[in-house]
Amino acid sequence: MSAVFEVINLKKAFGGLVVTNDVSLSMVAGDRVALIGPNGAGKTTFVNLVTGALKPSSGEVRLRNEPVTRIGPTGRVQRGLVRSFQVTRLFQDMTPAEHVGLAVLQRTGKSAELHGNFLTRPAVMEEVYDLLERLGLYSLAHRKVREIAYGQQRLLELAIALALKPSVLLLDEPAAGVPQSDTGRIEEALANLPADLAVVMIEHDMDLVFRFAKRVVVLAAGTIIFDGLPADVTKDARVREAYLGSYANAGLNA
Amino acid sequence: MTEKTNSTLAAGAATTRSRLRAGFIKRDLYGFAAIVIVAAAGYVLFPDNLALLTRIIAIALLVLSLDLVTGYCGVATLGQAALFGSGAYAAGILSAHYGINDPLLMTLGGIFAGAVAGLICGIVMLRAHGLPQLVLSIALVYLFHEFANKASSWTGGSDGLSGIVLDPLFGLYEFDLFGHTAYFFGVVLLLIVFTLLRIVVRSPFGMLCRGIKEDPVRIRALGASPHKAVIKMYIISGAVAGTGGALSAISTQVVALDALSFTQSAEALVMLVLGGTGSLFGALVGTVIFMLFEDFVSAANPFHWLTMVGALLIVVVLFAPKGIFGTVQDLLSVRKNTTGETRP
Ligand SMILES: Nc1ncnc2c1ncn2[C@@H]1O[C@H](COP(=O)(O)OP(=O)(O)O)[C@@H](O)[C@H]1O
Ligand SMILES: [Mg+2]
């Protein structure tokens, strides 16, 4: 199978601090990769680099064999590379229906139309309700985001990403900040992601990682120190060393 | 995971849809009716002061245009009069230099010039953010002002542009000395602009702009370019401001350099904040209150009216940060919710 998403020798330094050091990654459709690593390892920076929010010092990013390194962030989204945010970025005064509706309109090239509220467009609304329903947000469709729980906001982040029909999805700690009681819903949503979607999930919760990922990539100090099966990651000496003394050690041993 | 079947989903969507559409139409009609009623009341109450009322409408168009870029897109600007003045000069020059005296053509000229000025200002303004952006807007309005001042063979410079002659409106209604025709023309222009803007602000594009104001990074992550959208809004804003400028040129038959001034821009921002940003009604309410206040208080006490305006503004900013309209709306919706009505 040919790669849908390729990162080749990506490098980034902030001043003297090398945050991404020669990172390469290749994914095919349907891949489920967990990207883990201690805090400050450069995981979020990696997402920012491949989505175009930051410019790499060197290296290349390819989507379905097309180099996109010189294409801006919006162009990459339009080509199917979509991300979610570690800290929810939603519009407090808008409703879930409006968020997802905006994403659907944008994907179908209609977000700049000057007439007709999307809420009155049957084709858009059908898709919006369908997505919200799949993520258990249907009953909240017309509530303001500020009135809904954080766990539900995280699910809405997922709904927005899915509304863009990505081929590669980068999830930056999708369960971060969600109370334990609500992580089940998120995990269920993750398990139900479209089968042919290539997913990179950044996550600290090792239980979630083991249940979700078919492949684990470990980043430490900007370098990939492990890329392999979940079963092997805890046995790896370099991984253990990288996590030694950090809080995640407990999770790894669990 | 599916608790509801697709058919109930679709039925729910259909009822929501028709309820929302009915709500939009109802609110549009209320707005339209409110403008008509206020306009008629003004006509009855101040028949000798139609010039002031027409000026209020022209400035209301300027403030509406400012609301589009500031209230809906979050662009900080103290130079909006550059768009208004461009419209005023275009309409005036068409008549004074080209003998195009048809008020409709002059208005079209104003709309076009305003839109072009909007495009130019938008492109320049979006090079910066925050404070530098604000400074750029001030620089722009000074440049426009200075340009109009230097091009005095076209604009009359500091003497103002005179020699504007008007054909009857639709070939039927003379622009009379008392300003009846101009006022009627202004009210109709305002109603048209207001209706079009209602459609724009709740369109997908309007929602995109609201998103850009709150978080451009989020919008970019959806694959939409905030830059393109704001430039587009600037062009629309320019067309609206240009309409106001043209109305001002037509109703007074002169264009002064003030139309392009920093002061006029700053006053427009004060009116917008007073009424409430991010709402078309807010822009209208702010303009009417400010301009009537200015007229009455400055007549009663010419030395202290600015003090009074300053005090009013401080009160609003400190105690009603959503502006007069936004605050009243909040109070009303709280009452509505406690009486059991829910909003969609
Ligand atoms: N814009 C920036 N400027 C300078 N340093 C940064 C910037 N963004 C991130 N860093 C640094 O890069 C390192 C990696 O950060 P990040 O990618 O957020 O880590 P992670 O997501 O793995 O916790 C950290 O040391 C952080 O301080
Ligand atoms: Mg991070």
Side-chain angles (χ1 to χ4, degrees):
Chain A
M1 244 196 297
S2 72
V4 286
F5 177 55
E6 265 179 299
V7 176
I8 303 154
N9 300 335
L10 205 62
K11 277 195 190 134
K12 176 74 183 177
F14 290 116
L17 179 70
V18 180
V19 184
T20 306
N21 189 9
D22 219 8
V23 168
S24 298
L25 184 73
S26 172
M27 291 176 72
V28 296
D31 258 355
R32 294 286 187 274
V33 173
L35 178 61
I36 65 171
N39 256 325
K43 303 181 296 292
T44 298
T45 304
F46 173 79
V47 172
N48 286 334
L49 287 173
V50 298
T51 54
L54 286 174
K55 275 199 168 50
S57 315
S58 66
E60 192 168 89
V61 180
R62 290 167 162 267
L63 283 172
R64 289 200 206 85
N65 288 325
E66 181 196 5
V68 294
T69 324
R70 247 156 246 97
I71 290 173
T74 57
R76 296 188 201 189
V77 176
Q78 286 155 16
R79 284 166 177 77
L81 178 65
V82 172
R83 71 170 296 181
S84 73
F85 291 92
Q86 181 172 353
V87 177
T88 308
R89 297 188 88 122
L90 298 168
F91 308 118
Q92 297 300 312
D93 278 330
M94 290 194 202
T95 65
E98 286 175 319
H99 282 84
V100 178
L102 194 54
V104 171
L105 286 164
Q106 172 58 32
R107 188 196 79 225
T108 50
K110 296 192 178 112
S111 68
E113 283 186 3
L114 287 171
H115 61 89
N117 188 293
F118 75 93
L119 291 166
T120 60
R121 296 179 184 209
V124 176
M125 276 329 273
E126 206 169 295
E127 198 178 335
V128 167
Y129 283 135
D130 192 50
L131 256 172
L132 291 176
E133 171 66 18
R134 265 161 58 198
L135 292 172
L137 295 171
Y138 180 79
S139 58
L140 305 171
H142 298 289
R143 295 271 284 278
K144 295 232 155 98
V145 160
R146 68 165 85 255
E147 297 168 4
I148 70 179
Y150 194 73
Q152 293 163 334
Q153 296 188 15
R154 299 301 295 173
L155 286 165
L156 179 54
E157 279 268 352
L158 261 178
I160 295 167
L162 291 175
L164 297 168
K165 295 230 165 105
S167 48
V168 181
L169 181 58
L170 308 168
L171 300 172
D172 197 352
E173 304 199 24
V178 177
Q180 199 66 44
S181 54
D182 287 355
T183 50
R185 286 227 78 129
I186 292 180
E187 196 171 339
E188 192 187 341
L190 293 174
N192 287 323
L193 289 175
D196 58 346
L197 184 60
V199 186
V200 178
M201 178 177 74
I202 298 176
E203 189 47 67
H204 283 301
D205 181 342
M206 292 311 287
D207 292 334
L208 202 61
V209 166
F210 287 132
R211 282 196 294 266
F212 173 81
K214 296 187 206 127
R215 177 176 157 201
V216 177
V217 173
V218 184
L219 204 59
T223 310
I224 291 186
I225 56 168
F226 177 89
D227 184 345
L229 295 174
D232 299 333
V233 69
T234 49
K235 297 181 213 139
D236 190 274
R238 288 180 69 190
V239 174
R240 288 184 160 269
E241 195 186 328
Y243 271 97
L244 208 65
S246 93
Y247 71 95
N249 198 27
L252 269 176
N253 289 330
Chain B
M1 191 159 190
T2 320
E3 306 141 26
K4 298 186 183 63
T5 65
N6 275 341
S7 65
T8 47
L9 265 184
T15 45
T16 311
R17 202 154 59 226
S18 55
R19 205 180 65 214
L20 286 167
R21 189 179 280 146
F24 291 147
I25 293 174
K26 202 167 89 178
R27 259 171 288 164
D28 285 0
L29 286 179
Y30 283 167
F32 199 88
I35 295 176
V36 171
I37 290 168
V38 171
Y43 188 81
V44 173
L45 294 176
F46 310 105
D48 306 327
N49 225 344
L50 293 182
L52 170 69
L53 299 187
T54 310
R55 172 142 187 88
I56 292 180
I57 295 176
I59 299 299
L61 289 166
L62 167 63
V63 177
L64 278 173
S65 80
L66 178 64
D67 200 13
L68 293 180
V69 291
T70 302
Y72 286 92
C73 296
V75 176
T77 171
L78 276 168
Q80 191 68 8
L83 318 187
F84 178 84
S86 300
Y89 275 112
I93 286 171
L94 277 180
S95 169
H97 291 284
Y98 293 98
I100 296 175
N101 302 332
D102 181 78
L104 295 179
L105 287 180
M106 289 166 68
T107 306
L108 280 181
I111 292 172
F112 181 75
V116 172
L119 174 65
I120 295 168
C121 289
I123 289 172
V124 175
M125 293 281 288
L126 288 182
R127 309 301 298 179
H129 289 285
L131 198 55
Q133 190 174 53
L134 201 63
V135 174
L136 269 184
S137 73
I138 298 172
L140 274 168
V141 76
Y142 275 125
L143 280 176
F144 272 72
H145 186 272
E146 215 23 52
F147 180 76
N149 190 18
K150 286 281 154 30
S152 57
S153 57
W154 286 95
T155 62
S158 54
D159 296 335
L161 176 68
S162 53
I164 298 173
V165 184
L166 295 164
D167 289 344
L169 185 60
F170 304 124
L172 292 174
Y173 306 100
E174 289 280 352
F175 281 84
D176 54 301
L177 212 55
F178 305 101
H180 290 97
T181 307
Y183 183 59
F184 174 77
F185 185 53
V187 171
V188 172
L189 279 183
L190 180 64
L191 285 172
I192 294 172
V193 169
F194 176 81
T195 307
L196 292 177
L197 290 187
R198 289 286 294 178
I199 294 172
V200 167
V201 297
R202 67 157 176 264
S203 70
F205 175 71
M207 195 165 58
L208 183 69
C209 289
R210 270 163 63 202
I212 290 167
K213 182 186 177 188
E214 230 179 295
D215 187 357
V217 175
R218 202 339 140 206
I219 290 296
R220 235 175 261 124
L222 292 180
S225 155
H227 198 92
K228 262 196 218 158
V230 177
I231 298 254
K232 183 166 167 178
M233 192 57 121
Y234 243 109
I235 295 173
I236 296 171
S237 165
V240 172
T243 310
L247 174 63
S248 153
I250 289 168
S251 59
T252 59
Q253 298 185 21
V254 289
V255 181
L257 275 176
D258 288 354
L260 273 175
S261 64
F262 168 73
T263 315
Q264 183 64 73
S265 306
E267 272 188 7
L269 188 61
V270 168
M271 292 180 220
L272 179 60
V273 171
L274 208 56
T277 58
S279 134
L280 300 180
F281 288 118
L284 296 181
V285 168
T287 312
V288 171
I289 290 178
F290 182 97
M291 303 253 326
L292 288 182
F293 199 77
E294 172 180 7
D295 191 63
F296 290 133
V297 181
S298 67
N301 188 338
F303 301 107
H304 289 300
W305 88 268
L306 272 174
T307 320
M308 308 276 277
V309 169
L312 176 66
L313 191 63
I314 289 174
V315 169
V316 167
V317 169
L318 291 184
F319 300 106
K322 286 185 171 177
I324 292 169
F325 180 75
T327 305
V328 170
Q329 197 183 28
D330 276 4
L331 291 176
L332 289 180
S333 78
V334 166
R335 267 195 20 214
K336 232 185 194 175
N337 285 347
T338 51
T339 56
E341 253 187 79
T342 52
R343 283 181 297 172

